[in-house]
């Protein structure tokens, strides 16, 4: 028992090392290497994101823009004004006021009074079997079709779906359409980047969100699912109709990725586009709203499975922290191996393995975070803290399990 006092004085990582022994070291090394592989794959997928073409070409074709809006009074005016300023000539804008209670419809209606291209439609909520946003977008399309039939106007060649908290630079639509034409793509989408003074959610949650979604979907549609972001999504109308439109996804809540995947599976091409800061969104501001937005997305993506949310949250946090923990424990094992009277050869090799794997995992996470943060035009200085930030994203998953258990997983007063 002569060694008991020294054991008692060891830090927590040494205690874990003594309890778990070689099995624990193996798990730490495996998790660290998995994190390194995860980071490498993220870097590769970010590299496959399509850059926006430099300027709009001479492409023609009418565009119907649909904006689903529920209780978006602080944001809907700026969104519609940005759409009215688009340089593409043949555009119609349909704002679907989704049973708002804060004056969203009235604000949009004032824009419609000033611009005949803008139509405001009042929705009464989703019909049975439909999710809210999907139903709102379908109602907007139905209203546009009726208006075009009455005026004997041809259907649009393109459909653009834009979130009400998102603003597009004037040239964005023209350049996005030109990008689709250049790459012969049927569906292109772009993520919004932070507005000036964006909350900490952009730096702490968004890069990890890109990593997380990118694990399950590919920017060029090469994985099991195609990567798309519904904040700004442009699709050819004929291809949209061919895959069943929103009716085929009426009860789904990750409709952007699922639509892109259906387009890809139908023989079409999809591309996630780097809009170069020309799409901005306030959807993650303030931080609490950003947290709730990611939680909503994760709850929907897991189909409200408490087991997947809780298990995924714990696993995500543990894997994220494996790199730094492996480094610290490896250094501790090395120090013990060099103590007088200890047989250090095996321990030294184990220490080297722990430190090397830990640094690979930590570095892989940092590089992936840096690339994702640069893509999203947010702070890259937090990249060295990627393991801690990624673990925070695990907490979002755990919070999703909490709200599902409490029956509080709705959004804006509705069941998701």
């Amino acid at each position: 028992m002569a060694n008991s006092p020294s054991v008692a004085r060891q830090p927590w990582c040494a205690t874990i090392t003594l309890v778990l022994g070689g099995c624990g070291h193996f798990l730490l090394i495996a998790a660290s290497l998995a994190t390194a592989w995860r980071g490498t794959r993220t870097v590769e997928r970010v590299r496959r994101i399509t850059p926006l073409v430099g300027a709009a070409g001479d492409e023609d074709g009418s565009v119907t823009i649909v904006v689903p809006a529920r209780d978006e009074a602080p944001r809907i005016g700026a969104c519609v004004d940005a759409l009215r300023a688009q340089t593409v000539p043949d555009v119609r804008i349909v704002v679907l006021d989704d049973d708002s209670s804060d004056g969203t419809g009235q604000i949009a209606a004032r824009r419609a009074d000033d611009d005949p291209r803008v139509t405001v439609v009042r929705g009464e909520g989703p019909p049975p079997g439909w999710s809210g946003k999907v139903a709102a977008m379908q109602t907007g399309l139905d209203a546009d079709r009726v208006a075009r039939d009455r005026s004997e106007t041809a259907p649009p060649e393109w459909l653009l779906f834009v979130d009400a908290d998102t603003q597009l630079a004037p040239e964005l639509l023209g350049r996005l359409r030109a990008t689709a034409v250049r790459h012969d793509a049927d569906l292109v989408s772009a993520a919004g980047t932070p507005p000036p003074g964006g909350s900490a959610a952009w730096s702490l949650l968004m890069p990890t969100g890109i990593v997380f979604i990118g694990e399950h979907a590919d920017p060029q549609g090469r994985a099991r699912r195609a990567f798309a972001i519904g904040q700004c999504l442009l699709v050819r109308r004929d291809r949209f109709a061919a895959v069943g439109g929103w009716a085929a996804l009426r009860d789904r809540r990750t409709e952007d990725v699922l639509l892109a995947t259906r387009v890809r599976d139908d023989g079409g091409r999809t591309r996630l586009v780097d809009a170069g800061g020309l799409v901005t969104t306030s959807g993650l501001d303030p931080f609490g709203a950003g947290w709730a937005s990611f939680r909503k997305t994760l709850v929907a993506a897991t189909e409200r499975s408490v087991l997947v949310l809780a298990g995924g949250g714990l696993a995500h946090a543990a894997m994220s922290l494996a790199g730094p923990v492996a480094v610290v424990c490896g250094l501790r094992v090395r120090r013990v191996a060099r103590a007088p009277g200890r047989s250090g050869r095996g321990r030294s090799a184990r220490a080297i393995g722990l430190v090397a794997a830990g640094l690979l995992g930590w570095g892989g996470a940092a590089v992936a975070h840096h690339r994702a943060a640069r893509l999203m035009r947010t702070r890259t200085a937090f990249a060295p803290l990627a393991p801690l930030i990624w673990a925070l994203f695990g907490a979002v998953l755990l919070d999703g399990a909490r709200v599902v258990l409490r029956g509080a997983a709705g959004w804006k007063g509705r069941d998701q």
Side-chain angles (χ1 to χ4, degrees):
M1 300 298 294
N3 292 330
S4 295
S6 63
V7 171
R9 290 195 298 270
Q10 290 171 351
W12 62 270
C13 66
T15 303
I16 293 176
T17 300
L18 290 173
V19 173
L20 297 180
C23 180
H25 293 159
F26 174 79
L27 290 175
L28 278 175
I29 290 172
S32 298
L33 293 177
T35 301
W37 172 79
R38 183 186 191 192
T40 301
R41 187 171 61 167
T42 296
V43 170
E44 176 58 30
R45 289 197 169 174
V46 169
R47 195 177 286 137
R48 290 207 294 269
I49 294 175
T50 302
L52 196 67
V53 298
D58 56 0
E59 300 84 9
D60 55 10
S62 58
V63 183
T64 288
I65 304 174
V66 177
V67 183
R70 176 169 171 79
D71 293 336
E72 296 283 1
R75 293 165 285 273
I76 189 63
C79 174
V80 176
D81 288 343
L83 296 175
R84 292 168 60 195
Q86 293 302 300
T87 56
V88 172
D90 194 356
V91 167
R92 291 192 179 194
I93 304 165
V94 181
V95 178
L96 194 287
D97 173 21
D98 190 13
D99 197 22
S100 299
S101 59
D102 66 347
T104 294
Q106 293 90 323
I107 295 170
R110 288 198 288 271
R111 269 65 179 182
D113 291 341
D114 296 334
D115 192 333
R117 299 174 301 166
V118 180
T119 301
V120 180
V121 180
R122 174 73 178 184
E124 300 300 329
W130 285 72
S131 67
K133 182 179 178 181
V134 174
M137 291 187 290
Q138 183 60 53
T139 302
L141 291 178
D142 292 343
D144 180 67
R145 185 184 67 252
V146 170
R148 288 178 180 272
D149 288 345
R150 287 175 178 171
S151 61
E152 298 183 347
T153 304
E157 293 187 29
W158 297 89
L159 305 173
L160 176 66
F161 300 96
V162 179
D163 284 355
D165 57 15
T166 300
Q167 296 181 40
L168 311 185
E171 69 271 29
L172 186 280
L173 175 54
R175 292 175 62 181
L176 193 63
R177 186 173 64 180
T179 303
V181 171
R182 176 174 296 181
H183 293 276
D184 195 24
D186 299 280
L187 182 151
V188 293
S189 65
T193 51
S199 75
W202 286 101
S203 300
L204 299 180
L205 298 179
M206 179 55 83
T208 317
I210 293 295
V211 172
F212 193 86
I213 299 171
E215 289 181 325
H216 307 283
D218 185 86
Q220 296 184 7
R222 299 180 186 177
R224 179 169 169 265
R225 290 185 173 175
F227 199 159
I229 296 179
Q231 293 167 339
C232 175
L233 188 151
L234 180 69
V235 60
R236 295 180 191 270
R237 185 192 60 82
D238 56 353
R239 182 68 72 176
F240 178 80
V243 300
W246 293 130
L249 302 170
R250 62 173 64 88
D251 60 343
R252 309 307 294 268
R253 294 172 176 84
T254 53
E255 70 287 335
D256 44 10
V257 169
L258 294 176
L259 176 63
T261 302
R262 289 178 72 91
V263 167
R264 188 272 315 275
D265 291 346
D266 190 56
R269 288 187 178 183
T270 68
R271 292 291 185 271
L272 181 65
V273 174
D274 178 2
L278 298 181
V279 179
T280 58
T281 179
S282 57
L284 299 187
D285 303 308
F287 181 83
W291 182 282
S293 178
F294 273 107
R295 183 182 63 201
K296 171 181 72 79
T297 299
L298 294 170
V299 166
T302 58
E303 298 183 352
R304 300 192 179 201
S305 170
V306 173
L307 180 62
V308 173
L309 287 164
L314 292 172
H316 185 84
M319 182 173 286
S320 300
L321 295 172
V325 172
V327 170
V328 173
C329 289
L331 293 175
R332 175 62 191 175
V333 169
R334 181 175 180 271
R335 194 170 83 181
V336 171
R338 300 175 78 178
R342 299 294 183 100
S343 177
R345 182 175 299 176
R347 290 177 180 269
S348 295
R350 190 184 305 174
I352 292 172
L354 282 165
V355 172
L359 289 175
L360 281 173
W362 193 340
V367 171
H369 189 93
H370 183 277
R371 292 298 297 270
R374 190 170 66 180
L375 171 71
M376 298 309 301
R377 272 76 182 173
T378 188
R379 297 182 188 91
T380 59
F382 291 139
L385 301 177
L388 292 174
I389 296 173
W390 287 17
L392 180 66
F393 204 78
V396 179
L397 283 159
L398 291 171
D399 194 34
R402 178 188 66 83
V403 297
V404 171
L405 285 172
R406 291 182 56 194
W411 183 252
K412 294 188 175 181
R414 277 193 195 142
D415 180 60
Q416 279 200 86

